[in-house]
Amino acid sequence: MEQRRTQAVALLSEGRSPGEIRSLTQLSRPTYAKTVHNYNKDGLAGLRDRRHENPGAPPLLTDAQLLLLVQTVRADYEDGILWDAVKLQACVEDLLGEKIHARRSYELLELAGLSWQVPRPAHERANPKAQADFKKKASLKRLKRLGISSPT
């Protein structure tokens, strides 16, 4: 990208028109305008790629807040309580006074070392014992077909 910006400035110094420069360098109108502005302001240093200098947004939660949240989620997980985005959003808002987006709540669950997958619901008339027996019989049939003696 720096090469295209430098080329745009070089073409501009040759007296080419902005439309021709944009066509040759494939720069959009706003990018071309920003390139010229940065060059006029800072010279060749204004054409550098500065993305690596961007520190990014501050962390969503402090380390102490994140630790408190992780401890809360893990304690419920040990008790068999599953968390989802809505529940985590409400917890973050109650405990920490911070509003977060649903996607952020999934990221926080991942930071806690938990999966954000939800188990499939069981049918109300499902019989777990009958399902286990069926699976056992099916696996025994498969072993028999393969010529393997069944484990005792």
Side-chain angles (χ1 to χ4, degrees):
M1 188 65 173
E2 288 180 38
Q3 292 174 338
R4 291 195 307 169
R5 290 191 291 254
T6 307
Q7 181 185 16
V9 171
L11 292 171
L12 184 63
S13 69
E14 291 176 2
R16 305 260 182 129
S17 70
E20 186 180 5
I21 294 171
R22 286 195 324 269
S23 172
L24 291 171
T25 59
Q26 297 295 308
L27 293 176
S28 66
R29 193 178 296 249
T31 303
Y32 171 75
K34 187 175 180 183
T35 298
V36 172
H37 172 77
N38 288 343
Y39 177 74
N40 289 336
K41 183 177 148 199
D42 298 327
L44 284 176
L47 303 179
R48 287 183 323 125
D49 185 6
R50 296 186 187 137
R51 289 179 292 182
H52 66 281
E53 297 170 1
N54 184 356
L60 188 62
L61 303 173
T62 65
D63 290 340
Q65 290 173 326
L66 185 59
L67 181 63
L68 175 64
L69 183 68
V70 168
Q71 288 173 343
T72 305
V73 171
R74 285 207 170 267
D76 280 356
Y77 180 75
E78 297 298 326
D79 293 337
I81 300 171
L82 298 178
W83 283 66
D84 61 358
V86 176
K87 189 170 182 179
L88 194 79
Q89 282 175 308
C91 178
V92 168
E93 193 167 347
D94 289 344
L95 288 176
L96 313 172
E98 301 276 339
K99 287 191 174 198
I100 60 171
H101 191 268
R103 177 64 197 145
R104 291 286 181 200
S105 60
Y106 288 124
E107 290 171 8
L108 291 173
L109 281 175
E110 288 174 0
L111 279 175
L114 299 173
S115 171
W116 47 278
Q117 297 175 356
V118 178
R120 295 178 71 180
H123 192 273
E124 59 190 31
R125 292 184 298 182
N127 184 347
K129 184 175 179 342
Q131 289 174 348
D133 290 343
F134 176 80
K135 288 178 186 178
K136 185 176 181 181
K137 287 179 186 175
S139 64
L140 290 176
K141 285 181 183 178
R142 187 175 303 123
L143 290 174
K144 191 175 181 181
R145 254 194 334 255
L146 295 172
I148 302 171
S149 60
S150 63
T152 54

